[in-house]
Amino acid sequence: MRLRRFRRTPTLRRLVRETRLSPDNLVLPLFVCPGAGVEKPVGSMPGVAQQSVDRLVETCRAAFAEGIRTVLLFGIPEHKDATGSSAWSSDGIVQRALRALTSDVPGLVKIADVCFCEYTSHGHCGPTSEDGSTVKNDETVQRLVRQAVNHAKAGAAVIAPSGMMDGTVGALRRGLDAAGFAGVSILAYAVKYASAFYGPFRDAADSAPAFGDRRSYQMDPARGVEEALLEARLDVEQGADMVMVKPAGPYLDVVAAVRGAVDVPVVAYQVSGEYAMLEAASRNGWIDRERAVLESLLSIKRAGADLVITYYAELLAKLIEK
Ligand code: PBG
């Protein structure tokens, strides 16, 4: 009976738990699109929709009331071009959303994803070489700085570069400081794998690459944790205030290793494909949705994540309270 003694009653089980969940550490990703009154469901992510600014404000108000006080914004612009120029327009879709949320949902922490894949006509994370074979690193970084400063002006508290270009974090820090935004923090997508689990997101953000894939800039899933630690440490050295591991569930070994190696908060992103799998199985009656969602979050936190970005943030806030 020795091992079973603490499992005997609910109170004993609670007494010895080390992993605590709180809505304070959850971040809700949202997709904002042009128009008014628009709610466009994402086929591969049941329960998730692209929303126009007015609807987004309502979603954020409700989330805030439930204890989800941080959101991560992705934009679907009116038009796309080869360089993704609408990303840094002060009238851009995310900039408009940021201004509306600043005035209508006070206290909400807004994280702005900076990347170009939602804004370029070819769907890559920055301008490509003439033959389309590679994304130009330094040109992309320069443009990311413009996009980030614009987001900061519109009210973003945190800038999250997701494009995996080398040297991004340092350039963003210098650019934000020079523009008077020393108080805006950087959440680096430090350890981001070239993952099949982003499939539904590309549907949600309308950002699938028109040719090729992202393996020349995102990480190879078969590499060891050493590369992950190098990525994370370099980003911290360049000024990252938080580092992310993405996806979360299939990479818990990496989450644990990064937690042990850096002295800033570690953020794990439970991505669209992880959400889609849980939804598909629950909708078929193959797993118990609430228990599986809670267990997935518990595991990510147990591995060492301080914060979790998840499309389940609102559901989890309710489940945690139970
Ligand atoms: C943009 C970006 C992606 C995700 C977050 N930011 C897609 C990609 O890299 O292809 C994926 C998020 C998810 O799957 O939920 N660079």
Side-chain angles (χ1 to χ4, degrees):
M1 278 301 273
R2 171 164 185 199
L3 291 170
R4 291 176 50 188
R5 271 174 216 140
F6 280 132
R7 299 173 197 157
R8 280 172 47 230
T9 69
T11 315
L12 282 168
R13 291 196 290 273
R14 292 179 82 99
L15 181 70
V16 294
R17 271 179 201 154
E18 299 91 353
T19 312
R20 304 266 169 227
L21 302 175
S22 160
D24 288 344
N25 312 123
L26 299 178
V27 178
L28 176 65
L30 293 166
F31 302 97
V32 56
C33 66
V38 180
E39 192 87 30
K40 213 170 133 202
V42 178
S44 48
M45 299 178 75
V48 174
Q50 298 179 357
Q51 297 182 300
S52 50
V53 173
D54 54 329
R55 292 299 189 97
L56 180 86
V57 167
E58 290 317 311
T59 300
C60 291
R61 262 204 200 111
F64 195 91
E66 285 156 12
I68 302 300
R69 302 194 178 95
T70 304
V71 295
L72 169 63
L73 298 179
F74 295 100
I76 297 102
E78 266 108 359
H79 41 254
K80 302 180 184 231
D81 58 33
T83 55
S85 60
S86 67
W88 60 70
S89 143
S90 36
D91 202 32
I93 184 68
V94 171
Q95 286 84 339
R96 273 184 272 151
L98 286 166
R99 283 194 296 269
L101 292 172
T102 302
S103 74
D104 296 354
V105 195
L108 184 77
V109 175
K110 287 136 349 225
I111 307 180
D113 183 276
V114 293
C115 189
F116 291 102
C117 59
E118 296 113 82
Y119 302 91
T120 52
S121 40
H122 46 68
H124 278 286
C125 295
T128 62
S129 57
E130 301 306 314
D131 63 357
S133 65
T134 183
V135 173
K136 295 183 188 166
N137 194 89
D138 296 0
E139 258 186 71
T140 303
V141 171
Q142 277 175 18
R143 288 161 204 237
L144 284 169
V145 173
R146 272 177 83 176
Q147 188 187 12
V149 168
N150 230 283
H151 286 334
K153 274 186 193 148
V158 183
I159 298 296
S162 64
M164 294 300 280
M165 297 296 123
D166 279 8
T168 302
V169 174
L172 282 180
R173 188 67 276 158
R174 288 188 295 276
L176 287 167
D177 289 353
F181 295 107
V184 168
S185 30
I186 297 174
L187 160 56
Y189 279 73
V191 184
K192 175 170 175 180
Y193 290 91
S195 173
F197 293 103
Y198 307 150
F201 174 94
R202 294 175 185 175
D203 193 10
D206 193 11
S207 65
F211 51 84
D213 56 39
R214 303 206 206 290
R215 285 180 233 209
S216 75
Y217 40 105
Q218 298 179 348
M219 292 162 64
D220 182 349
R223 288 294 304 276
V225 294
E226 293 76 14
E227 189 194 30
L229 296 187
L230 184 61
E231 284 274 5
R233 287 196 188 111
L234 280 175
D235 280 354
V236 173
E237 268 170 36
Q238 287 175 46
D241 301 289
M242 298 183 264
V243 291
M244 190 194 298
V245 175
K246 175 181 172 200
Y251 295 85
L252 294 184
D253 55 330
V254 181
V255 172
V258 172
R259 178 57 290 163
V262 296
D263 48 13
V264 297
V266 173
V267 182
Y269 194 149
Q270 181 178 50
V271 300
S272 56
E274 299 176 73
Y275 175 89
M277 288 194 300
L278 285 163
E279 280 306 294
S282 333
R283 278 162 200 257
N284 272 297
W286 295 337
I287 54 172
D288 177 325
R289 181 168 183 256
E290 295 193 349
R291 286 190 57 199
V293 168
L294 202 53
E295 187 175 328
S296 71
L297 176 75
L298 200 57
S299 301
I300 296 167
K301 290 222 71 176
R302 198 189 55 237
D306 301 292
L307 276 70
V308 183
I309 301 173
T310 170
Y311 301 96
Y312 283 120
E314 287 177 278
L315 173 64
L316 281 162
K318 291 191 188 108
L319 296 178
I320 290 167
E321 266 174 26
K322 274 192 188 169

